[in-house]
Amino acid sequence: MALFVVRHHHSAERCPAQDPYTGAKFLNHLSRSNAIRYGVQIQGEAVVEAEHSLYLIAEASDENHLLEFMQVFQEIGHLDILPASTWARVVAGGDSAAHALMGESPSVIDPADACQQAIDAGLVVQRAHPLNCETLIPALISGAMVPNAHFYVRNHFHIPLLDPSSFRLTVGGLVERELSLSLNDLHNLPLQTLTVTLECAGNGRALFEPPIEGEKWTLGAVSTAEWTGVPLTEVLDLAGLKPSAREVLFRGADSGAVAGHIGPVRFERSLRLDQCHGAELLLAYAMNGEPLPVQHGYPLRLVVPDWYAVASVKWLTGIELLDGPFRGHYQYDKYWYEWDRDGEPVREPVTLQRVRALITEPAPAHQTPRGDVAIRGVAWSGSSPIDQVEVSVGGGDWQEANLLGERRRHGWQPWELIIRVPEPGTLAARARATDLTGQTQPERAEWNRLGYGNNAIHQVDISIV
C-alpha cells in the first residue's frame, strides 16, 4: 500500500454544502467503510476553513484506485493526488498519537462501523468523526416515537464502549453515603417511563445568516422517544445530600482532545440542585422499550426533559454533588447564547428548548394531488405544552391547525390542517407554534455567535399537481 496526499478544491458556487442533502451524500462517500470498497484507507482528513478545500491522507495499492474513489469530487472541482513523503505518515497517525498522549481511555466503537450503520439506517451524516447525524424529516411524519435506528445522533468525541458487567455509576462529593451502583442495582430501583423530545441546541444552525462555525444542522437534529429508567431523585435520596450541596455534576465516559485544553476533556454538565428536585429527570437504561443503543448512551444516560439535549449526558458513569457552579468546557465555554448588543457582549446559558413547529408533510420534493391537501407536522416547547399551531399557505392569513391527541408535557405535539387547493402550482406553507406561556416563534431567530436556538418559522414549498 502506498501513501498519498489528496487535495480537492472547488468554487464557492459549486460547494456541495450549499444543499444539506448533497453535502451529506459527499460526506457519506468519504466514510472509511465506503473508501475500503475502493481499496482505499483514509488515514486523516482536513477542511480548510473558508477556502472550499479538502485534504486527505490515504493509502491505496495504486493511484488509479484512489482516482476512482475521488472521481465524484473531480466532477465538481480540481483534484491533485501526490505521493506522500515520509513525514506525512506522522500526520496520518495523528489520531492514534493523540490517544497515546491522552493515556488510558475506554474502548470506543470503530468510527467507520458507526458511520456505516448510520448511513444504512437512512440518517443524514453531518460528520463521520465524531459521528453526528440528522433524522430525515419524513421519519417524523407519524408524530409518534422515532425508531431507535432513526433517532438523530450528536457526539463530541468517539463513542465509548462500556462493559455492562463491570459498569458502575458512582455518586460522590457532598453526600452522606458514597454509592457505586451496578446496572442490576439500578434495575432494582423504582422505574419510570417518560415520552421526551430531545433536540440539539444547534438544530437549525445551517439556516443562520451569516454562516456560523460548528455542525451544519438543518432541521433534523430532533427526535422523540420513550425513555425508561430510574428517577434521579431516587439515587440522590439513597446517597443523602449534605446541606452545603448546591449543584449536581453529571460525568460521561466520552472524552477527547479539545483546542485550548491540555490533556483530554471529559464530557461533563451540571444542573443546580433546585433544577433537579421536582423535575422528572431520568437515569435511563431503555429507549422505546429496548436496551439503550450504544450511540445513545448505553448502558446509562441522563434524560433531562424540556432542556436542549446537551444536558442529557450520555454514557453516564459519575454523579458528583458540588457546593458551587461547575465551570467545565461544555458548561462554561460552550452552550451559551452570545450576542453583541449596542457594542456590549451579552451572554445567556442555553437551557430550555425554544418553541418550534416543523412541517413534516407534504415533503418539498413530493408532488401532491390538487384537492384536499393535508399539511401535518409536530411542535414542541421546553417551557410548557403547545397551545396552538398556525399555518399560512401561499402568503395568506394564519389558520389554526388541529392539535392531534392530548397535549404533551415533554414530547412533541402532532398537528394537522386540511386545506382545499383547486389548481396546480407551488405554494409556500409556513407553520408557527405558540405554547401555553404565550411564547411564539419569530419570523427570524436572533443570530448568535455559536448558532444555538434557531426557532424561526418553518417554511416548505409544496408542489401541487
Side-chain angles (χ1 to χ4, degrees):
M1 297 283 281
L3 196 66
F4 297 90
V5 174
V6 180
R7 176 184 179 271
H8 162 71
H9 176 77
H10 56 255
S11 64
E13 293 76 19
R14 302 193 69 185
C15 182
Q18 291 184 107
D19 174 66
Y21 294 99
T22 303
K25 182 184 77 171
F26 276 81
L27 185 59
N28 291 349
H29 182 79
L30 284 176
S31 68
R32 262 55 169 186
S33 54
N34 187 54
I36 289 172
R37 296 172 181 173
Y38 291 81
V40 174
Q41 293 184 3
I42 298 175
Q43 304 292 352
E45 66 272 312
V47 176
V48 180
E49 182 182 352
E51 290 188 11
H52 299 278
S53 295
L54 166 71
Y55 289 86
L56 295 179
I57 297 172
E59 285 187 310
S61 56
D62 60 56
E63 187 174 332
N64 289 333
H65 284 91
L66 192 53
L67 185 60
E68 181 186 4
F69 173 63
M70 295 300 297
Q71 181 63 35
V72 293
F73 289 88
Q74 192 170 32
E75 292 172 0
I76 62 167
H78 184 72
L79 185 68
D80 292 313
I81 298 178
L82 302 171
S85 57
T86 304
W87 61 266
R89 293 186 179 274
V90 178
V91 179
D95 189 56
S96 298
H99 282 292
L101 290 172
M102 287 164 56
E104 291 298 321
S105 60
S107 299
V108 298
I109 299 295
D110 182 85
D113 289 345
C115 182
Q116 189 60 50
Q117 289 174 16
I119 293 170
D120 293 344
L123 294 171
V124 178
V125 177
Q126 291 291 351
R127 185 192 296 259
H129 314 291
L131 183 64
N132 288 296
C133 317
E134 292 194 42
T135 300
L136 285 168
I137 297 299
L140 312 180
I141 283 177
S142 69
M145 312 305 163
V146 174
N148 293 353
H150 297 159
F151 200 101
Y152 87 97
V153 177
R154 173 61 169 125
N155 294 308
H156 294 85
F157 306 113
H158 288 308
I159 299 172
L161 185 60
L162 304 179
D163 181 357
S165 64
S166 60
F167 172 84
R168 293 294 184 276
L169 173 67
T170 62
V171 184
L174 298 174
V175 296
E176 299 294 344
R177 295 168 294 278
E178 292 190 350
L179 304 177
S180 178
L181 302 173
S182 67
L183 283 178
N184 190 55
D185 294 331
L186 291 165
H187 279 268
N188 285 330
L189 292 173
L191 63 81
Q192 185 176 10
T193 296
L194 292 174
T195 298
V196 175
T197 295
L198 293 184
E199 181 184 17
C200 177
N203 196 25
R205 179 182 288 127
L207 307 180
F208 273 121
E209 288 292 343
I212 298 170
E213 292 183 21
E215 303 299 329
K216 298 300 188 287
W217 301 112
T218 53
L219 294 173
V222 60
S223 300
T224 295
E226 186 180 79
W227 308 90
T228 300
V230 181
L232 173 65
T233 51
E234 293 284 343
V235 172
L236 296 183
D237 289 347
L238 271 181
L241 307 185
K242 292 185 176 179
S244 54
R246 296 289 182 273
E247 194 145 314
V248 187
L249 173 64
F250 302 94
R251 182 173 292 119
D254 50 330
S255 65
V258 172
H261 290 262
I262 299 174
V265 171
R266 294 282 291 271
F267 190 85
E268 300 170 302
R269 288 277 303 185
S270 73
L271 293 168
R272 296 193 316 270
L273 195 55
D274 63 287
Q275 293 169 330
C276 297
H277 280 302
E280 295 179 290
L281 277 64
L282 278 185
L283 305 179
Y285 47 71
M287 179 179 179
N288 289 329
E290 301 174 356
L292 198 64
V294 65
Q295 69 270 30
H296 296 297
Y298 180 83
L300 190 71
R301 75 171 297 168
L302 177 68
V303 173
V304 183
D306 307 323
W307 282 55
Y308 281 112
V310 63
S312 296
V313 177
K314 295 188 287 187
W315 308 291
L316 184 67
T317 58
I319 298 174
E320 185 176 353
L321 277 294
L322 309 176
D323 61 2
F326 173 64
R327 295 174 67 89
H329 175 69
Y330 291 103
Q331 186 84 18
Y332 189 77
D333 300 329
K334 298 290 186 180
Y335 294 97
W336 286 74
Y337 299 109
E338 296 182 4
W339 305 279
D340 188 338
R341 292 177 176 164
D342 300 323
E344 295 293 328
V346 176
R347 207 164 182 253
E348 179 183 307
V350 170
T351 56
L352 296 178
Q353 299 164 355
R354 292 178 171 180
V355 61
R356 169 177 274 175
L358 285 183
I359 298 171
T360 60
E361 187 182 0
H366 179 71
Q367 292 188 330
T368 303
R370 74 188 82 176
D372 289 337
V373 175
I375 302 175
R376 298 186 176 98
V378 290
W380 66 96
S381 173
S383 299
S384 68
I386 294 298
D387 180 42
Q388 67 174 4
V389 173
E390 299 168 289
V391 179
S392 170
V393 180
D397 294 338
W398 291 101
Q399 304 177 59
E400 187 167 352
N402 294 316
L403 303 184
L404 305 179
E406 298 179 357
R407 283 196 172 97
R408 305 185 183 188
R409 177 64 192 94
H410 304 306
W412 58 30
Q413 177 72 54
W415 56 266
E416 176 186 76
L417 177 69
I418 309 295
I419 61 171
R420 183 75 180 170
V421 183
E423 301 295 334
T426 300
L427 296 175
R430 309 174 74 224
R432 69 181 182 191
T434 302
D435 66 24
L436 288 173
T437 67
Q439 296 186 69
T440 192
Q441 289 178 255
E443 285 284 337
R444 182 184 297 272
E446 186 177 10
W447 190 95
N448 60 93
R449 187 178 70 84
L450 296 174
Y452 297 132
N454 187 351
N455 68 331
I457 291 172
H458 186 210
Q459 177 173 317
V460 170
D461 291 332
I462 301 175
S463 177
I464 305 295
V465 295

